[in-house]
Amino acid sequence: MSMNVIVREYARLTTAPVPPGNLDCAHISETAFDWLCDLSASFNPGGATLLQVEGRKSLKWDSYVGVIETPCGTRLEILPKHFEQGDCVLKSRTLLRKLIQAALFLKPRQVSVTALELFDAPLTEWVMGQYLNELDALVKRGIRFDYTRVEEERPFLRGQLNVVAQLRQPPGRLHQFQVRHDVYLPDRAENRLLKLALEQVAKVTQLPANWRLANELRALLAELPASRHISQDFRLWSRDRLMAHYGAIRPWCELVLNQQMPVAVQGTWQGVSLLFPMERLFESYVQQSLGKQLRPGVELIAQTSQAELCRHGDRGIFRLKPDLLMETAEQRWVLDTKWKRIDQRNAEQNYNLSQSDFYQLFAYGHKYRNGGRVPRLVLIYPYWAGLQRALPMFDYGDGLQLWALPFDLEGECLLDAEVAGVPLEGETLGTVRT
């Protein structure tokens, strides 16, 4: 029996009865519980932690967000733990979609006011809806055809005579012609992938609007074959000028076919699985937002690895890769994003800051000096009720200083950026939402 479960990051999943409406604790079936335990065990060898087992009847989810479906039909939707008031589910879904679009460089289509009412649908229905809308626009514009070489036997001469094959004809079949010719067909790698994704969407969608549009498109593309070799066809996907109008739909096609996931469930079960590490989504979103607000002459570098922690013989080991590096002719800023809730009201407990994060930034500060100039260090945390302003400056000594700044995900801005001298433009950078 299918069951939809909605929780947030770090929620507890249990087989015991739980009151409905709690986003931090939810009931799941025993079969789903056992399957999630096996899935978590497969993640651990790779260094990723998906779940923490607490006893025999309880699991604690980690910081992955998205949707995952178990073989027994339980669909688990995990939302960011960011909102505490109002309609948390709707706000969290909207935020997650925005973060995924930024992380995967997806171009959202312009939708009408009526279409916005569908945004209350689960994440997977939204992804499938976006794919169908892109495919509908592509079909209306016209799909690309290509010439395909065909070699066949005909009672009449068509195209080019295949002389070698004709000479090998037995005497009783000399009246048949072995010919080769080109046929102008839509059977090309891009279209085969789109047809396969369309078939998958039509099978699993439960939203009436998506189902209706999917079947309309299936009728229009009925003669088009579906891809049988997904990886090979993605490698054959053309990016030339004549295929430029296919560029917008490819990311959505990859999402549907699970070809471009930060984390995707692998195995024999072919259910819905869209899992994203929240730390990476936050980092990517901050990077793109800050990149749009840079002052002239400022260079922003993501995931640079210009320094190593130490030398060993003739080589450097333990590369130091800060999330973001800003540079001007006079100054350098090292910025690191952390998807953690720190509380400016809890000074006695060091605002819930992590000591390991400060060690990490201390190493960055010493190894990323620019011509002897000391860089400015910035830790970026998500804005919430407990972090509305920059924390007081942290002094390492010898001119090395660190600032902890909040980033407003809804306002798309770094608050109090001027206290650390971060070279950004915009009048709203130092304001606080209430």
Side-chain angles (χ1 to χ4, degrees):
M1 182 179 65
S2 61
M3 179 174 61
N4 294 326
V5 178
I6 302 175
V7 294
R8 300 189 295 190
E9 295 175 88
Y10 307 107
R12 191 168 62 91
L13 306 175
T14 177
T15 57
V18 174
N22 189 349
L23 294 179
D24 295 318
C25 186
H27 167 79
I28 59 174
S29 65
E30 293 187 3
T31 53
F33 184 93
D34 295 337
W35 186 81
L36 288 173
C37 288
D38 294 338
L39 178 64
S40 179
S42 67
F43 270 65
N44 288 335
T49 302
L50 182 66
L51 293 161
Q52 297 178 12
V53 180
E54 298 181 344
R56 297 183 179 181
K57 295 184 177 181
S58 180
L59 296 171
K60 185 179 180 182
W61 195 264
D62 208 80
S63 61
Y64 288 96
V65 292
V67 178
I68 186 170
E69 184 177 344
T70 68
C72 67
T74 299
R75 178 171 292 185
L76 190 63
E77 183 178 1
I78 308 98
L79 301 174
K81 189 174 183 178
H82 187 65
F83 299 98
E84 299 292 343
Q85 297 178 348
D87 192 344
C88 297
V89 174
L90 179 60
K91 291 180 179 179
S92 298
R93 282 175 176 166
T94 303
L95 173 63
L96 181 55
R97 291 164 187 148
K98 183 168 65 172
L99 296 178
I100 292 174
Q101 285 180 338
L104 300 183
F105 301 98
L106 301 177
K107 179 182 68 67
R109 292 195 58 82
Q110 297 296 324
V111 294
S112 63
V113 177
T114 304
L116 291 177
E117 298 175 359
L118 303 177
F119 269 31
D120 193 33
L123 174 66
T124 48
E125 293 289 355
W126 171 74
V127 170
M128 291 187 286
Q130 294 293 320
Y131 170 74
L132 292 173
N133 289 334
E134 289 287 355
L135 182 58
D136 184 43
L138 180 65
V139 171
K140 290 177 179 177
R141 181 172 178 176
I143 61 175
R144 286 286 299 174
F145 283 59
D146 201 3
Y147 287 103
T148 302
R149 175 57 59 94
V150 176
E151 295 186 359
E152 58 182 353
E153 183 180 272
R154 288 278 186 173
F156 53 85
L157 188 61
R158 177 186 181 185
Q160 181 183 15
L161 179 66
N162 189 345
V163 178
V164 175
Q166 187 68 29
L167 293 176
R168 292 176 179 174
Q169 286 276 71
R173 299 192 59 82
L174 293 178
H175 62 287
Q176 297 289 336
F177 294 94
Q178 300 296 324
V179 298
R180 59 165 68 99
H181 57 91
D182 293 332
V183 182
Y184 198 51
L185 297 173
D187 185 8
R188 52 183 300 157
E190 301 86 352
N191 295 334
R192 292 193 296 267
L193 290 169
L194 298 181
K195 179 62 178 296
L196 178 62
L198 176 61
E199 294 292 342
Q200 293 190 9
V201 168
K203 290 178 182 178
V204 302
T205 183
Q206 298 178 1
L207 200 64
N210 286 349
W211 183 88
R212 189 185 313 111
L213 181 56
N215 282 276
E216 290 176 0
L217 293 172
R218 289 179 73 186
L220 293 174
L221 304 177
E223 298 182 359
L224 189 65
S227 175
R228 296 184 178 181
H229 306 284
I230 297 177
S231 300
Q232 178 180 346
D233 281 345
F234 268 116
R235 287 194 296 269
L236 295 175
W237 189 296
S238 177
R239 299 179 183 270
D240 61 23
R241 179 176 55 85
L242 297 177
M243 296 293 294
H245 62 295
Y246 273 68
I249 197 174
R250 173 166 178 161
W252 298 109
C253 182
E254 291 174 334
L255 275 175
V256 173
L257 297 178
N258 288 339
Q259 290 296 305
Q260 188 179 349
M261 291 293 97
V263 177
V265 178
Q266 303 293 332
T268 56
W269 169 242
Q270 298 298 323
V272 177
S273 63
L274 301 174
L275 292 180
F276 301 84
M278 195 60 204
E279 297 88 350
R280 299 289 293 276
L281 292 180
F282 181 59
E283 173 191 332
S284 178
Y285 189 73
V286 170
Q287 173 193 338
Q288 293 191 41
S289 298
L290 296 185
K292 300 174 183 177
Q293 303 168 5
L294 294 177
R295 294 177 185 172
V298 180
E299 182 181 11
L300 178 65
I301 308 172
Q303 291 292 329
T304 183
S305 57
Q306 301 177 8
E308 60 275 340
L309 185 61
C310 60
R311 304 288 299 178
H312 181 68
D314 58 349
R315 64 186 181 92
I317 59 175
F318 304 126
R319 306 293 296 181
L320 297 177
K321 298 177 62 176
D323 294 337
L324 299 169
L325 188 68
M326 284 186 181
E327 288 188 314
T328 64
E330 300 80 19
Q331 185 62 51
R332 170 178 284 182
W333 290 261
V334 178
L335 304 93
D336 224 44
T337 60
K338 303 294 180 183
W339 180 251
K340 298 177 182 179
R341 277 192 170 184
I342 63 173
D343 196 339
Q344 61 189 17
R345 303 163 295 188
N346 191 12
E348 294 78 9
Q349 299 296 326
N350 296 329
Y351 311 103
N352 301 334
L353 293 166
S354 172
Q355 186 175 1
S356 61
D357 293 340
F358 274 64
Y359 281 132
Q360 182 182 26
L361 270 292
F362 180 76
Y364 291 162
H366 279 276
K367 294 298 182 176
Y368 278 87
R369 295 174 182 264
N370 186 12
R373 291 192 295 269
V374 179
R376 297 186 179 183
L377 309 177
V378 179
L379 281 172
I380 300 176
Y381 296 92
Y383 168 96
W384 69 294
L387 182 66
Q388 300 185 5
R389 285 289 189 185
L391 295 181
M393 183 264 295
F394 299 89
D395 191 354
Y396 285 111
D398 297 329
L400 189 61
Q401 298 173 337
L402 181 145
W403 290 265
L405 305 180
F407 186 89
D408 186 352
L409 287 168
E410 293 182 272
E412 302 182 18
C413 60
L414 183 65
L415 301 178
D416 288 343
E418 68 279 0
V419 300
V422 181
L424 300 178
E425 292 182 335
E427 298 178 355
T428 61
L429 297 182
T431 61
V432 178
R433 283 189 305 107
T434 58

